[in-house]
Amino acid sequence: MAFEIGTASDYRDLLDRFHTFITTHADLVAANQQWQVIRWTTDAQNKELILKAPGLAGAEEIYCGMRTYESASSAYYMWDLNGFIGYNAANDFYTQPGAISSWLPMMSLWNTAIPYWFVANGRRAVVVAKISTVYQTAHLGFMLPYATPGQYPYPLLIGGSMTGQRGRNYSLISPNHRHFVDPGEDSQNAANTACMLRGPSGAWLSFQNRYYSGYEYRYDGRRPVWPGVYSRLDSLRESPDGTYVLTPIVLLQYNSSSDHDLFGEIEGCFHVSGFNNAAENLINIGGVDHLVVQNVHRTTVEDYWALRLE
């Protein structure tokens, strides 16, 4: 519905620009899909933004938040990302109703110029930020559930590029440092990852495609994100006419060898082959540009996805 491309002066200015974009962009306002600010605080160290999204018809209440923090001595500059089921003015960022507990999805940024891409509608927002030669991402809002609103009323997906559990710096090389479209962790049973979905029961569910054991391995565990968990993605490439196939990104859960739950797909985000491709390329499909994004520092053919710029 709306997108913006620009360059912020640093990680705090990036949040200022996102605040302006999500609440005042002309396309969002014209569709009555601009987000409402519930809390906006700033001080010498931190900025905190809690928002309420209206949905596509203006009838929903979708609560998300971002909070900056830094450690100049350790050279990390972060956005914490969180999702809620409501708002209590007496509570801090980490104890809002329904908040993710323990380690949060986050973006690892820096204190200098940041090229960025913002995309949003009334249901969800996606951020892509370029830090040196790596890319950081965030997802705030609803995914597209394979269910009716009555069956699954609050499919809130909070995604980032890592969690606070493992490291902070944007240059970290670790399975924990992966985008929410193909997430990972340093352990095989992480309770929190960079891809957290509020499930139909109301519990936060973590998703994981990779883990570390001397090497970055695929982890075909209980909750993968398809098709990133698929082991033959390196065999996919562009079509004979040079066009690229964009594959929906689906959140699923294995209950047994024959019982799978398909929660839904991430709106406007698609896997794309990296053959003859590169980050920041634009793929035009049906008159709409799709931005090619690499998964943090990774540039193998299986580590790319595309973001619809509308």
Side-chain angles (χ1 to χ4, degrees):
M1 177 57 66
F3 75 92
E4 177 179 302
I5 301 171
T7 301
S9 60
D10 59 24
Y11 77 110
R12 288 165 58 89
D13 182 50
L14 185 68
L15 189 55
D16 289 340
R17 289 168 179 256
F18 181 77
H19 169 275
T20 300
F21 164 77
I22 203 72
T23 58
T24 68
H25 191 281
D27 291 342
L28 293 175
V29 173
N32 198 31
Q33 293 181 22
Q34 71 273 22
W35 295 29
Q36 177 186 348
V37 174
I38 304 298
R39 177 185 291 171
W40 175 233
T41 61
T42 65
D43 59 37
Q45 290 295 321
N46 303 109
K47 293 188 175 185
E48 184 176 319
L49 179 61
I50 296 179
L51 298 156
K52 181 173 69 173
L56 301 185
E60 294 177 298
E61 296 183 349
I62 306 166
Y63 293 90
C64 307
M66 293 134 282
R67 187 176 188 273
T68 69
Y69 70 95
E70 70 173 68
S71 172
S73 61
S74 300
Y76 61 76
Y77 306 87
M78 315 298 302
W79 280 15
D80 269 352
L81 309 170
N82 213 332
F84 321 110
I85 60 172
Y87 175 72
N88 187 330
N91 291 17
D92 66 18
F93 181 81
Y94 303 100
T95 58
Q96 289 296 318
I100 299 171
S101 61
S102 189
W103 305 106
L104 299 178
M106 58 173 55
M107 296 176 72
S108 183
L109 304 167
W110 66 2
N111 201 29
T112 189
I114 301 174
Y116 67 83
W117 295 259
F118 298 153
V119 177
N121 59 22
R123 288 172 54 89
R124 65 88 176 94
V126 178
V127 177
V128 175
K130 185 177 182 181
I131 311 299
S132 184
T133 59
V134 307
Y135 293 81
Q136 302 292 318
T137 56
H139 182 284
L140 301 158
F142 283 0
M143 58 100 178
L144 294 174
Y146 296 154
T148 67
Q151 294 169 326
Y152 196 172
Y154 206 71
L156 182 59
L157 174 65
I158 303 299
S161 300
M162 67 165 73
T163 71
Q165 189 173 7
R166 301 288 190 271
R168 296 290 196 277
N169 195 276
Y170 73 88
S171 62
L172 176 71
I173 296 177
S174 163
N176 180 62
H177 199 184
R178 300 184 66 91
H179 292 171
F180 61 90
V181 298
D182 189 14
E185 244 300 346
D186 285 349
S187 64
Q188 296 186 43
N189 298 292
N192 295 68
T193 68
C195 184
M196 299 292 294
L197 175 70
R198 190 172 180 86
S201 71
W204 284 103
L205 308 176
S206 63
F207 290 77
Q208 180 183 353
N209 283 358
R210 301 289 192 278
Y211 75 98
Y212 181 78
S213 179
Y215 184 76
E216 188 169 301
Y217 289 98
R218 283 185 175 82
Y219 178 53
D220 192 9
R222 184 181 178 192
R223 295 191 201 97
V225 180
W226 188 88
V229 73
Y230 182 50
S231 62
R232 297 304 301 274
L233 287 178
D234 55 357
S235 300
L236 301 179
R237 58 177 303 163
E238 74 276 24
S239 302
D241 65 358
T243 59
Y244 286 90
V245 174
L246 301 188
T247 305
I249 295 171
V250 180
L251 305 175
L252 62 143
Q253 175 174 271
Y254 299 154
N255 290 322
S256 68
S257 60
S258 60
D259 186 8
H260 298 172
D261 296 327
L262 302 179
F263 292 104
E265 60 191 64
I266 305 177
E267 181 181 359
C269 299
F270 308 88
H271 176 266
V272 67
S273 172
F275 271 107
N276 297 322
N277 213 346
E280 301 185 40
N281 282 353
L282 294 177
I283 299 172
N284 190 279
I285 296 178
V288 178
D289 283 335
H290 294 68
L291 175 74
V292 176
V293 186
Q294 71 187 43
N295 195 338
V296 191
H297 59 273
R298 299 168 182 84
T299 57
T300 61
V301 295
E302 60 189 34
D303 287 311
Y304 288 85
W305 60 283
L307 173 64
R308 186 171 63 231
L309 297 182
E310 72 166 6

